[in-house]
Amino acid sequence: MDAYELSEVMKYIEEEDAKFIRLAFRDAFGVQKNISVMPGQVPRAFEEGIPVNAREIAGFENSPHGLLYLRPDASTLTVLPWRPDRGKVLRMFCDLYTPDGKPFELDTRVFLKKAIEKANEAGIEFRFGSETEFYIFKKDENGNPTKEPYDEAGYMDIAPLDRCENIRREISLTIERMGLTPERSHHERGPGQNEIDFHFGKPLKAADQEITYKMVVSTVADRNGLIADFSPMPLSDKPGNGYHINIYATDKDGNDVVKYVAAGIMDKIRDITIFLNPAEASYTRFGNSTAPDKVSWSNDDDTELMYVEPYMGRVRAELRSPDASSNPYLVYALLIYAGLEGVEKKMPLPENMNEGAMLPKSRREAVRIAMESEFVKAVLPAELIEEYTL
C-alpha cells in the first residue's frame, strides 16, 4: 500500500469519527474472526501487520508459525452501521501473512487470489452471484435460541403471513449502507425461511460479500430478539438452506465460456463436495425438497444440480448443491480451478442431462472421494485437505 492510499484511509477514519477499526479475517472454514485496533495502529497494520495467535484459530492449530500477521485490504473499508454514530466502528478484511512476510497458504482468501491469478493467466474472467437461504427463529424468555420459526409463511408469501418482511428489509438496507447491493429478497418455502440474492461480482468481492451478508443477517436478527440459522437442515421435516451460486465466465475476447465451465465443475463436483458441503447435515439436505442429489443439469428445470440458462445473449450457470456451512473463498477457488479445466479441455455438458452419478450420500463418502481425488491433491494444500477430511 502506498502512502497516498494510507493517507486516504486515515482521512476516512477521521471524517467518520471512527474510534475502533475491526480487522476481520477468517479461519480455515470461513468463520469470520476479528481483532479491533485504535486508529493510531492502522499505519502499523498496513506496514507491518497486526499479530494474532495462529494456533488458537480453527484449522491453523498445527501452523509452524506461532504468530500470523493481519494486513488490511483498503478496498474493503466500511462502516458498521449498527454501531454508535459517534465513535464509529469501521471494518476491513485482512489477509494473513507469515513472520517472514509471505502469504499464509492456509488463508483461504489468499488461496482464492491464487485461483484468480490462474484464471487471469488463462485469459478467463469469472463472476459469481449468490442466493443464500436462512431461517429466522424465536428466542425463549432467557434469550436462548429455539427452533420455533418466526412465522408460518410459505414461498413468496406476503404480510401478514410473512412476518420476516421487515427483517429482510432492515438486512438489505444495512448491507446497502455498507456499499453492497442486494438484488432481491423474498420468503422461502420453509416457515421463517428467507432468501436474499446478490448481483454477480468478481470472485474476491463476491466472497467478501457473502461473509458480510451472513454477519449482517445474524446481527440484525439478534438486534430484533431473534436468531438466524444458515445451517443445511435447521428443521428435519422442512426444506434445507441452500447457497446457490450463479456463475458467469468469458474469455479474453469476450466469448461466453460458461458451458465449458459448468461441464468442468460437474466433472469434479463429487471430488470437491466435502468442501462445498462440510457439515454432517449437508448430506441430509441432498434430495430434500428441491435440493439436488445427483450430478445432472438442465436448461429448463432449476431443481437440478446445474441449471444452465441462456438469457439476453449470455449464459448463466447456477450450481445448486453448496450450502452456507461452506467457506465462500474456498468454494469459489475450487469452482475456478474446475471450470478452467473444463475450458482448457473444451468439455461438453453431458448429453444425458438427468442421468448422472449420485452426489455423496454421507460426509464419510464425500471425505473418501476427496482423499482419492488427484484434482483435489493438485490444487489444495495438503494441510487444508487434512482439515476438511478429519
Side-chain angles (χ1 to χ4, degrees), residues 175-328:
I175 291 170
E176 191 174 49
R177 288 177 65 189
M178 297 178 73
L180 305 176
T181 308
E183 270 193 328
R184 300 176 297 275
S185 66
H186 61 87
H187 200 285
E188 260 294 343
R189 292 175 175 82
Q193 189 184 32
N194 302 269
E195 177 179 304
I196 298 178
D197 304 339
F198 286 88
H199 191 62
F200 60 87
K202 292 183 178 181
L204 190 63
K205 182 175 181 180
D208 288 343
Q209 181 173 263
E210 179 69 7
I211 295 293
T212 299
Y213 163 70
K214 290 175 69 177
M215 176 186 68
V216 170
V217 169
S218 296
T219 300
V220 170
D222 183 69
R223 286 168 61 84
N224 283 273
L226 303 165
I227 186 79
D229 191 330
F230 287 92
S231 65
M233 288 294 297
L235 299 173
S236 61
D237 60 342
K238 301 297 180 183
N241 285 325
Y243 167 31
H244 301 166
I245 300 172
N246 296 309
I247 306 163
Y248 303 82
T250 54
D251 66 17
K252 60 184 177 182
D253 298 317
N255 299 310
D256 201 316
V257 295
V258 170
K259 289 185 178 180
Y260 293 143
V261 168
I265 292 170
M266 289 182 66
D267 184 61
K268 296 293 186 291
I269 191 67
R270 281 168 49 84
D271 298 45
I272 63 176
T273 290
I274 189 60
F275 307 102
L276 278 56
N277 305 89
E280 291 284 356
S282 298
Y283 301 88
T284 305
R285 173 178 159 265
F286 288 166
N288 179 286
S289 186
T290 61
D293 61 358
K294 63 182 176 180
V295 185
S296 58
W297 73 281
S298 176
N299 55 15
D300 61 5
D301 182 354
D302 63 358
T303 65
E304 303 295 339
L305 170 78
M306 187 74 76
Y307 176 47
V308 181
E309 177 191 38
Y311 179 71
M312 297 184 68
R314 68 185 309 164
V315 180
R316 172 183 73 95
E318 180 183 344
L319 179 65
R320 303 185 61 261
S321 63
D323 62 63
S325 65
S326 62
N327 177 342

Side-chain angles (χ1 to χ4, degrees), residues 88-142:
K88 293 179 181 176
V89 178
L90 308 185
R91 187 220 61 199
M92 284 185 282
F93 283 117
C94 299
D95 294 324
L96 289 161
Y97 287 80
T98 61
D100 56 2
K102 295 179 181 178
F104 181 51
E105 67 171 5
L106 297 187
D107 180 359
T108 50
R109 194 172 191 267
V110 170
F111 181 67
L112 175 55
K113 286 184 175 182
K114 290 180 179 178
I116 295 167
E117 288 176 9
K118 187 76 172 178
N120 290 340
E121 291 170 4
I124 306 299
E125 180 177 76
F126 288 82
R127 292 178 182 266
F128 297 110
S130 63
E131 303 174 11
T132 310
E133 297 161 344
F134 60 94
Y135 275 80
I136 294 289
F137 293 117
K138 297 177 182 178
K139 293 182 179 180
D140 65 19
E141 62 275 11
N142 297 315

